Amino acid sequence: MIVTTPARSLRADAARNRELLLAAAEEEFVERGLDASIADIARRAGVAKATVFRHFATKEELIAAIVGSHFSALTAVARGLLESADPGAALLEFLTVAADGLQQQDLTFLQTASEGDSTVIALRDELHATVDSLVERAREAGAVRADITGTDVFLLICAPVHAAGFLPRPAPDLWRRYLGIIFDGLRPEGANPLPLPAPSWS
Amino acid sequence: MIVTTPARSLRADAARNRELLLAAAEEEFVERGLDASIADIARRAGVAKATVFRHFATKEELIAAIVGSHFSALTAVARGLLESADPGAALLEFLTVAADGLQQQDLTFLQTASEGDSTVIALRDELHATVDSLVERAREAGAVRADITGTDVFLLICAPVHAAGFLPRPAPDLWRRYLGIIFDGLRPEGANPLPLPAPSWS
Amino acid sequence: MIVTTPARSLRADAARNRELLLAAAEEEFVERGLDASIADIARRAGVAKATVFRHFATKEELIAAIVGSHFSALTAVARGLLESADPGAALLEFLTVAADGLQQQDLTFLQTASEGDSTVIALRDELHATVDSLVERAREAGAVRADITGTDVFLLICAPVHAAGFLPRPAPDLWRRYLGIIFDGLRPEGANPLPLPAPSWS
Amino acid sequence: MIVTTPARSLRADAARNRELLLAAAEEEFVERGLDASIADIARRAGVAKATVFRHFATKEELIAAIVGSHFSALTAVARGLLESADPGAALLEFLTVAADGLQQQDLTFLQTASEGDSTVIALRDELHATVDSLVERAREAGAVRADITGTDVFLLICAPVHAAGFLPRPAPDLWRRYLGIIFDGLRPEGANPLPLPAPSWS
DNA sequence: CATGAATGAGTTTTCATTCAT
DNA sequence: AATGAATGAAAACTCATTCAT
């Protein structure tokens, strides 16, 4: 359950509509892709089209709200795992939770459409920073190789689910296999030198 | 340089237009995504809209032609590498060439739209089979771990480029870093048991 | 004057547009035939193209609304004539009114395009049943020959107008002449046996 | 079998193509209505689209050729019946043959599209004149009522088939029933005075 | 002479967004 | 605040007709 916090507090019914709308939009985007129509989203939420625009001035704004909420949720998970006693296990757990969420509904394609939104950028940077900490701890604990950064891990979050997704009808947890392979690549054992240094985040 | 072979040989001018069209379509799809319009493609190719439909009866058919041509090209590369003396290096070279192509223009998203096309399916299966052979040889040579299959590698082809692509302004060859990490995950050294068996290709 | 009854009651302005649209569509269809374009209809009604589709999701739906409204109107006329004291005159009057309507604007060709619509079918069957009653009464009164059915008359409704229409520039009431001839063929006096039994209505 | 005589004599193969084209066009128009496409007609005739335009400069010209050929054929039939010993039976036979042709393929809708063509007008006038003679003889023999003209009959030619055509799935010879009724209306027995005088043919 | 290729104008329909109630 | 109505711009696709080979 994701709780989104709009800028100003809204009247109870308006707040409820906002949540209905976000939920309906997510479902519609998952089913129909980026071209899901505002009309269908409104119908699914049980409100009129114009009401969508009262809450989100633009389709892009609606998309940004969805993407942002997912970044927030993941950040919360990562923060929780920062307390974990086993930093290596914590990192793997984070990637597992993230992949599991993506498997249930891959909304990655929405990121492209919300690239410019400043709120999204802020939330993404926040997630990125938290992952940095998670990886830092794992590296210090010797659970991942020394030449790996938080940015590397951040960029690889979606890889297992996407790899599995190229199979015509993949088993629902096939991504675990590819997370296994990729995580082995992150381990210190048997690591070969990488051809390029780690990128800096923006 | 990709050479596409239309079903029947065309008059010289028509063949030229076909190539112009495919090139224009690729560029347009790269820039605008799946929703690139036929009108824009036609304009870019310097022909009339109806000419696009003369060559490709449907937008889907045009997409299928593009996707198919890329599968063919990759298959050719993979076939050539089957002769290589060093099977491990050959596999890495294949993944490198594939990623390099994707980096220049990622048309992965077109695959979804051409999923039903039988020609595309045939070409994809051909590529898949060739990758199978490539991996088989690498496994026998001890260059990749024993529990890895051709299907695994096939599914991971795009991962390095996609990972790099999540960075706001990635260096053009950043994918090499992630190919390094993932390839390390495919190596026998330091391999941990995988949580799921390899999938069978449909 | 035809009053159309939309499924649900609309806002005043929408109702007005609906009527404008139906009127414009009728005129356009009369002038240009079945291929009258939605664009022209919209222009004539003074609304945007998309407004047409808001009222009638499909060109077929628009056609069905027109055809249906005409069936309804004729049914109302026929019902009124069922009360008439002279059943023979009532039948002739019905055919006269029907032909007069067709003469002003023959939309028969729209029937083909709305053949599948269930509402139209229902309204047509209703008209047919009412004509059945009208003919029944006329037959019992000896005003039409015994071997004539309501279906026969129903099928012959358009004949007078169509016959007159084959003349290059027919007088506006020339159809009355052909209604006279055909009605004479329906009369008991001088009737010859018919070569085929009456058809059953589906 | 209808033989059409083009203005100038053509080379044997061209003449053959012309006939193929006319036949293909008729079939296509019967199946698809006025919107049958030149492309489909060309395909059905086994020639290229441009060849259609070599024979008929315009779609309208092609339609006119078809309509004209049918008028010619009917005129030939009517001329033959002018020799008949029984003028009343001859007229009925003419209407029967005409209706039978229409029933097999109703191309009436093509007339509208060829209204302006002078050749068609000439052929139609020729048919009209012949029908005039046919009716004249029948009237003199007392087989039809005195107030009926050739023009009347000409206008009523299509009525039986069209009436039958309003039935959802009419028996193939149902038109005979309506020809019976209408012809009874043309007979002297039981004739009522007509409300309008006969029209003059343009 | 016949053809395959090309085209411009047109078709129905959809959609994000604005407006009036 | 919420809605149903309206809209302009665009999309994929079709067709009669012309042009180059």
Side-chain angles (χ1 to χ4, degrees), chain B residues 75 78-79 82 125-135:
Chain B
T75 301
R79 287 233 173 93
L82 276 177
D125 287 351
E126 205 180 355
L127 173 57
H128 180 256
T130 315
V131 172
D132 266 348
S133 308
L134 222 43
V135 172

Side-chain angles (χ1 to χ4, degrees), chain A residues 119-186:
Chain A
T119 311
V120 167
I121 291 179
L123 291 169
R124 191 191 51 180
D125 287 351
E126 203 180 356
L127 173 57
H128 179 255
T130 315
V131 171
D132 266 349
S133 310
L134 220 44
V135 171
E136 178 81 7
R137 291 183 73 226
R139 192 175 345 97
E140 284 168 3
V144 300
R145 45 203 282 188
D147 54 357
I148 286 295
T149 70
T151 300
D152 290 329
V153 172
F154 188 75
L155 298 180
L156 284 165
I157 289 175
C158 301
V161 170
H162 281 176
F166 282 112
L167 200 69
R169 280 176 307 284
D173 55 353
L174 178 57
W175 55 267
R176 292 182 192 273
R177 180 173 174 89
Y178 300 107
L179 177 51
I181 292 174
I182 291 170
F183 205 79
D184 271 2
L186 295 174

Side-chain angles (χ1 to χ4, degrees), chain C residues 89-100:
Chain C
L91 182 57
L92 183 52
E93 171 70 4
F94 169 74
L95 289 171
T96 300
V97 171
D100 193 46

Side-chain angles (χ1 to χ4, degrees), chain B residues 78 81-82 84-92 94 127-154 183 186 188 198:
Chain B
L81 288 166
L82 276 177
S84 164
D86 180 344
L91 182 57
L92 183 52
F94 168 74
L127 173 57
H128 180 256
T130 315
V131 172
D132 266 348
S133 308
L134 222 43
V135 172
E136 177 83 4
R137 290 184 75 225
R139 192 175 347 100
E140 283 169 2
V144 300
R145 46 203 282 189
D147 56 354
I148 286 294
T149 70
T151 300
D152 290 328
V153 173
F154 189 74
F183 205 80
L186 295 173

Side-chain angles (χ1 to χ4, degrees), chain A residues 40-75:
Chain A
D40 286 347
I41 291 170
R43 193 171 311 126
R44 185 165 216 150
V47 304
K49 242 185 317 187
T51 303
V52 183
F53 287 96
R54 185 155 294 283
H55 287 275
F56 308 97
T58 235
K59 198 184 183 181
E60 285 195 0
E61 207 172 302
L62 169 57
I63 291 174
I66 294 175
V67 172
S69 80
H70 283 259
F71 279 137
S72 302
L74 264 190
T75 302

